[in-house]
């Protein structure tokens, strides 16, 4: 295994940042193991990567299930022999004002955005500790640094991802690297989960200027490609033309 030949696990790999990261990291020579619920998309992506000379495999993954996440990591280890990098990317963003009381959507964000990250860490960390090396990359958001109306719960989940990542970094110094990648507005399917009419309309204007998912994938690839003695802890990337 070299800096250009790692086994990289990616959650939420069926679209957006996860898909773009899979393409970029495979193009860089890494072996990618893809997880998401939409296996038809994973199969198509894995086929595309393999057809281009890359190495990819996939497994259905629901990050809200700790058992499913453990099985995902175990399957990757069985397929490729090790687990070098885990990209915790899966996320949802059903924005709404708190007074709308969309409790089911709050719970969904907590389950995917926070518990999903914790499940990934719980599954991958023992493997990485046994190897003596590893890298956990958590995809957060600029919402990990600021709060805006309709996004209180979403931002809270991303604040949590940042806090969890910092705690893991401090506890794992010397063996496991930890990176937080926080994108600004990015082209993705995240707004599709917004059911609140006012929040959905406001998001159209907010997302008028957006990063391509490939730009965030480039940022992830940068963090992954650093030599073992370099730990890139936090990177924030925004559209240059946006103040958000």
């Amino acid at each position: 295994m070299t800096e250009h030949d790692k086994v990289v696990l990616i959650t939420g790999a069926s679209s957006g940042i996860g898909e773009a990261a899979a393409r970029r990291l495979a193009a860089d020579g890494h072996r990618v193991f893809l997880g998401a619920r939409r296996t038809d998309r994973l199969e198509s992506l894995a086929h595309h990567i393999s057809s281009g000379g890359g190495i990819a495999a996939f497994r259905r993954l629901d990050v809200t299930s700790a058992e499913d996440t453990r099985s995902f990591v175990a399957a990757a280890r069985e397929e490729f022999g090790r687990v070098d990098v885990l990209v915790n990317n899966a996320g949802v963003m059903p924005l709404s004002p708190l007074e709308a009381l969309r409790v089911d959507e709050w719970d969904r964000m907590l389950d995917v955005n926070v518990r999903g990250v914790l499940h990934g860490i719980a599954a991958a960390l023992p493997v990485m500790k046994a190897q003596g090396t590893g890298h956990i990359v958590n995809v957060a958001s600029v919402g990990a640094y600021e709060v805006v109306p309709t996004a209180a719960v979403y931002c809270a989940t991303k604040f949590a991802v940042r806090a969890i990542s910092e705690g893991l970094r401090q506890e794992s110094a010397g063996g496991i690297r930890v990176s937080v990648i926080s994108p600004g507005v990015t082209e993705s399917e995240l707004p599709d989960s917004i059911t609140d009419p006012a929040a959905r309309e406001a998001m159209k204007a907010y997302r008028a200027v957006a990063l391509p998912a490939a730009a965030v994938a480039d940022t992830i690839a940068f963090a992954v490609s650093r030599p073992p003695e370099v730990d890139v802890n936090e990177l924030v990337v925004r559209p240059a033309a946006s103040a958000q």
Side-chain angles (χ1 to χ4, degrees):
M1 189 270 295
T2 69
E3 290 305 301
H4 302 287
D5 179 23
K6 294 178 179 177
V7 175
V8 183
L9 285 60
I10 305 172
T11 74
S14 60
S15 66
I17 292 171
E19 177 183 355
R23 294 177 184 272
R24 170 59 197 270
L25 291 167
D28 285 350
H30 303 297
R31 294 165 285 173
V32 295
F33 196 79
L34 316 174
R37 291 179 300 162
R38 295 177 291 186
T39 54
D40 56 333
R41 292 196 176 192
L42 295 181
E43 183 176 16
S44 176
L45 177 57
H47 176 73
H48 175 84
I49 290 171
S50 299
S51 297
I55 300 174
F58 68 93
R59 186 188 187 280
R60 186 186 186 281
L61 170 63
D62 178 358
V63 298
T64 68
S65 167
E67 181 178 355
D68 203 34
T69 308
R70 283 194 298 270
S71 296
F72 172 72
V73 171
R77 191 180 186 190
E78 182 176 352
E79 178 77 21
F80 293 126
R82 45 187 304 116
V83 173
D84 298 306
V85 182
L86 170 65
V87 181
N88 275 318
N89 166 72
V92 294
M93 191 185 68
L95 305 183
S96 64
L98 289 171
E99 66 180 4
L101 302 179
R102 297 179 183 268
V103 177
D104 289 347
E105 293 184 351
W106 300 348
D107 289 343
R108 179 64 178 164
M109 281 188 277
L110 289 168
D111 284 343
V112 176
N113 297 359
V114 181
R115 291 190 180 92
V117 168
L118 289 170
H119 291 162
I121 292 170
L125 190 58
V127 177
M128 293 178 177
K129 287 285 189 180
Q131 292 173 170
T133 184
H135 190 176
I136 291 178
V137 179
N138 294 328
V139 178
S141 163
V142 292
Y145 301 84
E146 61 187 9
V147 181
V148 297
T150 76
V153 178
Y154 175 75
C155 292
T157 66
K158 295 304 182 177
F159 269 74
V161 169
R162 189 173 168 221
I164 290 163
S165 302
E166 175 60 12
L168 180 61
R169 182 194 70 79
Q170 293 182 23
E171 294 172 9
S172 303
I176 311 303
R177 299 192 293 177
V178 182
S179 300
V180 180
I181 309 299
S182 295
V185 181
T186 304
E187 295 170 357
S188 73
E189 296 179 356
L190 277 179
D192 296 347
S193 64
I194 302 174
T195 61
D196 183 86
R200 192 178 184 93
E201 192 62 29
M203 186 53 56
K204 291 180 181 178
Y206 185 80
R207 298 179 66 83
V209 178
L211 288 168
V216 184
D218 291 344
T219 307
I220 294 171
F222 171 80
V224 170
S225 68
R226 297 307 87 197
E229 66 274 14
V230 178
D231 191 3
V232 176
N233 301 136
E234 296 190 46
L235 289 171
V236 179
V237 54
R238 294 181 172 92
S242 173
Q244 303 294 339

